[in-house]
Amino acid sequence: MDKKQCPVKLSAHPSRGLIDEKMVVQVQNAEPFSKVTLRAFHCCEGGYNWEAFAHYYADMSGQVNVSEDPSLGGTYFGVEPMGLLWSLQGVKGNKLGATLRKLDPQIPMTVTISLYSGYQSEGFEDLVPLASVLVERWNVAPGVRIIEIQEDGVNGTLFMPPGPGPFPGIMDLWGHEVGMIKYRAALLSSHGYAALAVNYITPDVTKTTREMVELDFFEKAFGILQRHPQVISSRVGIAGLCFGNVIMFKVAAYSEVVKPRCLVCVNGMHMIPPDKTLGEARSYTTEVMRTSVNKDTKEIVMRDSLLPIPTDPKLKMDLGRVSCPLLIIAAEDDLGIPSKEAAEDIKAMMERAGKGDLVKILSYPKAGHILYPPYMPLGNLTVVKGTGVQLWGGEPHPHSFAQEDSWRKTLMFLHKHLCEDASEN
């Protein structure tokens, strides 16, 4: 059959995979040397629409391989195998501050990838594609078990890997947001870790007291994970992001009962006086946000209000007390927290305590505060009701690199400290 009579074929492999798994998008049987546009479209759980597109030039056999061929225009340029995902942008009509993230990790992120003739940049809804393919991106691997935890006042969701175990464990502490963010814990379980996402902003206990939970709450949560019959009790670590790191550092440095095997800090700070309760610490960060509002633009840049890093040891937690390996991921364009400066101060503090060899810093230029799993688009602002617009910083391409690279190195760090010789119990 004449090749020109063959239908154009568009494929994405794997069409169903984990959110951090690379995929290969290919076009076959297009007109030789023709101009084509690939577009990705996604409607998120919040009901907002997102799209990315790229212009390609088919080769002499009518083929395009996104993993090898450069985009000549669109929402990204050059050879970017995952550009159709990390460059997703909100379409017109999305509200200010709409962020693409997974609310329910049990529901896949579905993306429709379509092929169009010529170089197109708008009006896709009025165009007829040459071909389309549906892709599913999952946070949970097949066989992961999801266990809701309500014990001793602790609320959380435990993601348990397939199989009998036992598994190393991770207590996952997200940031300042109301509710429970589960997708990182879900993805960690897909890589073999029993991961407990802890709801510490709105657990049952705070509904009655209306006060922030304190250190004993997290000691209980850690103990619940540690005592689970499918968890290796001596191989449990903690991962934090934003305010979750304040909690993580408080637990690791000052708890008499919690002894984590390792820590992962993503854009965190330690500039909280150790005698403050966690409730007082949260109130302090909220007040910093309110006083960081630009009266003219209503933009909030908390980073500047938190600098310089205090030199008085009474104004920050003593992380020289931490005795386990610590991985710090610092985004250099973080406008929420001075992540790079805080990381350097933490390292210096631990070096003075003779523990500098326990600290590893990964620093990423032009990356912003919110580091999602790989290939998710940049979320660089949040609308704070009644206050202003919180800026998080970052540029799409370097931020995407930071997410991919830091996630890969996080998994390596966790494997080294939680999995090697994991038969030890």
Side-chain angles (χ1 to χ4, degrees):
M1 180 182 289
D2 192 313
K3 184 172 286 188
K4 291 184 179 180
Q5 295 179 310
C6 294
V8 176
K9 181 180 179 182
L10 174 63
S11 63
H13 181 77
S15 60
R16 188 179 192 274
L18 288 176
I19 202 87
D20 61 351
E21 188 175 358
K22 282 190 174 182
M23 66 178 179
V24 178
V25 177
Q26 291 181 293
V27 176
Q28 294 174 296
N29 301 331
E31 287 289 333
F33 306 115
S34 62
K35 297 177 180 179
V36 296
T37 299
L38 282 167
R39 182 213 189 199
F41 175 82
H42 171 65
C43 181
C44 70
E45 292 158 274
Y48 300 106
N49 295 329
W50 306 80
E51 71 174 5
F53 62 92
H55 299 152
Y56 287 94
Y57 193 63
D59 65 15
M60 62 185 298
S61 60
Q63 298 188 45
V64 174
N65 186 330
V66 173
S67 297
E68 300 175 356
D69 299 329
S71 166
L72 304 176
T75 53
Y76 64 93
F77 292 83
V79 179
E80 294 292 340
M82 301 300 290
L84 287 169
L85 294 184
W86 66 252
S87 72
L88 284 165
Q89 300 176 349
V91 303
K92 292 179 181 179
N94 282 10
K95 74 173 184 179
L96 180 67
T99 301
L100 202 174
R101 67 175 181 205
K102 285 305 300 170
L103 301 177
D104 185 351
Q106 298 182 71
I107 300 174
M109 175 184 176
T110 56
V111 182
T112 300
I113 301 175
S114 300
L115 175 71
Y116 298 87
S117 177
Y119 287 168
Q120 312 295 337
S121 299
E122 58 185 1
F124 289 100
E125 61 275 7
D126 298 322
L127 301 175
V128 178
L130 300 174
S132 295
V133 63
L134 184 68
V135 173
E136 291 185 358
R137 309 283 292 175
W138 290 81
N139 283 88
V140 288
V144 167
R145 288 161 294 147
I146 302 172
I147 305 166
E148 297 301 326
I149 301 295
Q150 289 187 323
E151 180 181 333
D152 202 11
V154 174
N155 298 92
T157 301
L158 176 60
F159 294 87
M160 190 68 68
F167 306 102
I170 300 172
M171 184 167 74
D172 189 27
L173 303 172
W174 245 77
H176 225 305
E177 303 181 50
V178 173
M180 183 163 39
I181 308 300
K182 303 180 182 181
Y183 57 78
R184 185 170 65 175
L187 192 55
L188 285 167
S189 73
S190 301
H191 288 278
Y193 300 94
L196 176 63
V198 180
N199 180 6
Y200 65 87
I201 299 295
T202 55
D204 289 343
V205 65
T206 63
K207 292 176 183 177
T208 55
T209 66
R210 296 191 177 277
E211 295 181 358
M212 175 71 185
V213 293
E214 293 299 335
L215 185 63
D216 63 327
F217 174 89
F218 300 97
E219 291 175 336
K220 292 176 184 177
F222 191 90
I224 290 170
L225 177 60
Q226 196 174 39
R227 291 190 302 271
H228 194 282
Q230 289 181 282
V231 173
I232 305 170
S233 61
S234 63
R235 300 276 170 159
V236 180
I238 308 175
L241 185 143
C242 191
F243 189 77
N245 292 298
V246 173
I247 299 168
M248 179 181 74
F249 288 145
K250 186 86 168 180
V251 169
Y254 296 99
S255 173
E256 295 295 330
V257 297
V258 172
K259 305 299 177 186
R261 186 77 180 195
C262 63
L263 307 173
V264 177
C265 165
V266 181
N267 291 331
M269 69 175 199
H270 60 305
M271 299 89 74
I272 301 290
D275 59 347
K276 283 189 178 295
T277 66
L278 289 174
E280 290 170 336
R282 188 172 183 231
S283 297
Y284 166 72
T285 58
T286 301
E287 183 60 26
V288 169
M289 178 190 69
R290 290 175 179 165
T291 58
S292 301
V293 182
N294 183 298
K295 294 181 180 179
D296 297 323
T297 65
K298 298 300 180 182
E299 293 178 342
I300 306 169
V301 179
M302 290 178 58
R303 168 193 171 87
D304 296 341
S305 300
L306 293 167
L307 286 173
I309 304 293
T311 56
D312 186 346
K314 295 180 181 179
L315 298 179
K316 50 193 177 182
M317 288 182 277
D318 180 10
L319 297 192
R321 297 166 61 100
V322 173
S323 298
C324 65
L326 167 62
L327 175 66
I328 303 178
I329 297 166
E332 295 184 16
D333 193 38
D334 186 345
L335 299 183
I337 290 174
S339 299
K340 184 173 184 291
E341 293 84 351
E344 292 169 347
D345 192 68
I346 291 170
K347 184 172 178 61
M349 186 179 290
M350 293 188 71
E351 286 175 341
R352 288 193 294 271
K355 301 175 182 178
D357 59 326
L358 294 177
V359 188
K360 180 177 178 60
I361 297 176
L362 302 176
S363 189
Y364 296 98
K366 299 181 181 179
H369 179 70
I370 305 177
L371 290 173
Y372 292 123
Y375 318 127
M376 295 295 285
L378 168 67
N380 60 0
L381 60 88
T382 299
V383 175
V384 182
K385 188 176 181 180
T387 304
V389 178
Q390 172 71 62
L391 302 183
W392 298 120
E395 298 178 13
H397 187 267
H399 188 86
S400 174
F401 170 79
Q403 290 183 156
E404 181 179 359
D405 189 72
S406 65
W407 181 250
R408 177 177 60 85
K409 290 176 180 175
T410 295
L411 292 179
M412 292 171 59
F413 175 84
L414 293 175
H415 181 81
K416 177 179 179 180
H417 297 292
L418 295 181
C419 297
E420 292 181 2
D421 300 324
S423 58
E424 175 189 324
N425 209 331

